[in-house]
Amino acid sequence: MDVLEKLQRTLQAVNRTALSRMRAGDSLQMLNEQTRLREWVKGSSQFENVPLDSIEDALRTYRQNKYLKGLRQIRLVCYGSTQGSVAARLIESRELFEKLLEYVEHYRDRRRTFRKLYRGLLASYFSYDPDLPENTAVGRSNREVLRVFLAKHLASFVIGEFTPDWLAALAKYPDLLGEQPGCAIETSFLQGDWSVFNEICERLELDAGAWLVRQLVMAQFMAIRCMDDATFREHLDSLLLFLNDYPLYAGAGLKVLLDRYVQCKDRAVHVSLRNFAVGLWGNPWLEVHQWQCGAEARAMLAHWLKRQLLSEFFGVLSNDDPAHQRRYHFWDLYSEDLTGMYFALGREAYAHGNMPLYKFRQHAKGLIAKLTDEKHIVHTCIMQFKNYHVVELNRENNVAYFYDIRQGTPSFYFAKGWVDIGAIGVKDIEQGADIARTSKPLRHQDSRQLAWEGEFAREMGETENAIRAFCSKYQCKYEDLREKNGCQWIRFNDHEQFGPEVWSVLQGWGFSRDENAYFRITYPSLN
């Protein structure tokens, strides 16, 4: 039955029944009926659920006879041109597919008929993924021919009040049939407004895995590559929120964000980016997941996570004792030199209902071993450097133990897959027995000459990373004039702004105080 004839009969029925019951001035029932009819007219033009066996029969007949007989077969073949195995798909045949478009072209002057055929071709266009490796060059070429065909004829449709949703979406966003469909939503998407994206997906009945959805999403992530640092940072949080809501694209999108962030001049810790990356791919220095970003971005994340774990260990696990904050600020200077770190935790760290401790265990997943004794509040952090393994504990009265690994691997060595060998017992820690057997213990105790940070710095030595971190942390400027037979200079802005424990680090590295700077003379080797 013709749609207009059906609409006419329905309106006649409404006139005979609904209008006869209306009271004077009561238009509510008419408005409700008008809304229902509008939805019915628009709904009658949505994508059809065409039976698969009917499509297969139509395709089989077309391949055998090389011609299409009747409008019904043409419509079925339009819907099924991308169905079947790769070799059997109609879109993979240049001759048959071009002939199909010629058949459809003959109906361009019959508006309603042409729209039905157009709708079938559009469904095939959306179902053919051009990025699948198994698709042939002929198929991709025909897909481009189809795109041009659809874009060309889109303007021939009359857009009105009763236009179906799929056609209204194409008319409103014609770039969807362009070579770069992502342009349709670029501005709104990057500003965190996903209403246009959601509107397109709903009106075109696209599922999350459709190639058009993927291109719409990834086009916006590709756009950030050309942005300056400030603009990129403005959009970063909204893009992370999108990936959180659309996890199907989380890996691909996160890779782009990380590789772009590592190119920024200022690579300060971005907490949301760090947490999202670690939550998705795990610990960046453990080979647990297949990391998709570049090595430089992964190293940046590893540094961020190490700083976070140090902060939480000397904060959450040490009850935010100010003395332990000094420990964090010292070891933070060496955080970029860390090759790894592990934690041996007492029973308190597993107490129920303690959310900060739970979060710490989640952040340190894969890096935790349990101490052998239960019901104790001792927690241990093992920091691994090129030449040293350093053991710090969460209690102020404990010393730090420095192990020179050039003299052998410590007996308690914690590594992935080896956490149960030589595990530290609480009694051993308290007595300083096993843990101190081959180590050099240093106490967190200031002397008249030097704060304990100076003693620790003297033992660890300075590195380029540590000097750079010191200057960034304490607002200093580093100048290395050794190549010009000069000194190393670290110039400060305000010496009184920070306490003596800060400047003792420079003394531990062998720097001496000048009026507005610290300097160090390095004498040439006699060898």
Side-chain angles (χ1 to χ4, degrees), residues 181-289:
C183 295
I185 63 170
E186 181 173 347
T187 302
S188 62
F189 191 98
L190 290 174
Q191 292 176 350
D193 179 7
W194 308 324
S195 59
V196 176
F197 173 78
N198 293 330
E199 176 190 358
I200 291 172
C201 293
E202 181 180 353
R203 289 191 169 195
L204 296 181
E205 302 179 36
L206 302 173
D207 60 48
W211 68 262
L212 178 57
V213 175
R214 183 179 69 247
Q215 288 198 6
L216 288 174
V217 171
M218 294 311 300
Q220 316 315 310
F221 282 89
M222 295 299 110
I224 69 175
R225 294 177 172 178
C226 302
M227 294 177 181
D228 58 61
D229 289 357
T231 306
F232 165 60
R233 289 177 183 275
E234 287 178 6
H235 297 306
L236 183 53
D237 285 330
S238 64
L239 291 173
L240 285 171
L241 284 173
F242 179 86
L243 294 181
N244 189 65
D245 291 341
Y246 291 86
L248 184 64
Y249 304 101
L254 179 60
K255 175 187 183 303
V256 176
L257 295 181
L258 287 172
D259 288 338
R260 174 62 184 86
Y261 197 93
V262 81
Q263 296 173 8
C264 292
K265 184 177 181 180
D266 178 11
R267 298 195 295 184
V269 177
H270 192 286
V271 176
S272 298
L273 181 59
R274 178 197 65 199
N275 292 345
F276 189 89
V278 173
L280 184 65
W281 289 335
N283 192 300
W285 70 83
L286 295 180
E287 298 293 340
V288 179
H289 297 279

Side-chain angles (χ1 to χ4, degrees), residues 328-365:
Y328 163 70
H329 288 302
F330 174 78
W331 291 116
D332 185 40
L333 301 177
Y334 289 95
S335 59
E336 199 162 354
D337 294 315
L338 280 166
T339 59
M341 59 195 310
Y342 296 90
F343 302 91
L345 305 181
R347 186 169 179 80
E348 182 199 42
Y350 302 88
H352 293 291
N354 192 323
M355 186 56 63
L357 290 176
Y358 171 78
K359 288 183 177 180
F360 172 79
R361 296 202 314 274
Q362 292 301 112
H363 297 157
K365 192 174 182 179

Side-chain angles (χ1 to χ4, degrees), residues 53-72:
D53 55 350
S54 299
I55 293 176
E56 292 175 347
D57 290 341
L59 289 169
R60 189 182 306 111
T61 303
Y62 182 37
R63 292 191 188 95
Q64 292 173 353
N65 300 331
K66 301 293 191 274
Y67 71 88
L68 292 166
K69 182 179 180 181
L71 181 60
R72 183 174 184 276

Side-chain angles (χ1 to χ4, degrees), residues 365-384:
K365 192 174 182 179
L367 306 174
I368 296 177
K370 286 186 178 181
L371 290 173
T372 55
D373 298 72
E374 297 183 352
K375 299 179 180 180
H376 211 280
I377 59 173
V378 172
H379 311 299
T380 306
C381 172
I382 298 93
M383 294 171 283
Q384 298 174 306

Side-chain angles (χ1 to χ4, degrees), residues 402-457:
F402 288 71
Y403 288 83
D404 189 340
I405 61 174
R406 292 167 294 188
Q407 300 178 10
T409 302
S411 60
F412 62 87
Y413 183 71
F414 288 90
K416 188 175 182 296
W418 197 15
V419 296
D420 295 328
I421 297 178
I424 306 170
V426 172
K427 292 181 179 178
D428 293 332
I429 292 173
E430 289 179 328
Q431 297 172 2
D434 185 54
I435 193 172
R437 184 178 302 161
T438 59
S439 69
K440 179 177 181 178
L442 290 179
R443 189 170 296 279
H444 304 88
Q445 186 173 355
D446 301 336
S447 66
R448 291 183 178 180
Q449 293 77 26
L450 206 59
W452 66 259
E453 285 89 345
E455 294 290 348
F456 280 47

Side-chain angles (χ1 to χ4, degrees), residues 46-181:
Q46 296 303 306
F47 288 114
E48 301 179 61
N49 292 320
V50 184
L52 182 59
D53 55 350
S54 299
I55 293 176
E56 292 175 347
D57 290 341
L59 289 169
R60 189 182 306 111
T61 303
Y62 182 37
R63 292 191 188 95
Q64 292 173 353
N65 300 331
K66 301 293 191 274
Y67 71 88
L68 292 166
K69 182 179 180 181
L71 181 60
R72 183 174 184 276
Q73 187 185 11
I74 297 175
R75 184 171 60 87
L76 291 173
V77 172
C78 285
Y79 273 100
S81 61
T82 58
Q83 294 184 15
S85 62
V86 174
R89 290 176 186 170
L90 190 68
I91 199 171
E92 302 288 350
S93 169
R94 193 178 303 278
E95 176 188 0
L96 293 179
F97 191 75
E98 288 180 356
K99 187 177 292 185
L100 169 64
L101 296 184
E102 291 175 3
Y103 275 103
V104 174
E105 186 90 26
H106 291 156
Y107 290 90
R108 66 183 181 276
D109 294 329
R110 295 171 58 177
R111 190 175 66 186
R112 290 194 306 106
T113 300
F114 184 70
R115 191 170 72 179
K116 287 184 178 181
L117 301 179
Y118 185 99
R119 184 176 55 189
L121 289 175
L122 187 67
S124 292
Y125 177 69
F126 287 151
S127 65
Y128 187 83
D129 190 340
D131 296 328
L132 290 180
E134 60 265 27
N135 292 335
T136 66
V138 173
R140 294 188 178 93
S141 175
N142 281 339
R143 180 249 181 202
E144 177 60 17
V145 171
L146 176 58
R147 183 193 67 76
V148 174
F149 180 93
L150 295 170
K152 172 186 174 183
H153 290 287
L154 177 61
S156 66
F157 294 112
V158 177
I159 308 300
E161 185 177 3
F162 297 104
T163 301
D165 281 346
W166 63 267
L167 183 53
L170 292 179
K172 187 176 180 181
Y173 308 107
D175 286 331
L176 293 174
L177 293 176
E179 296 182 7
Q180 297 179 329

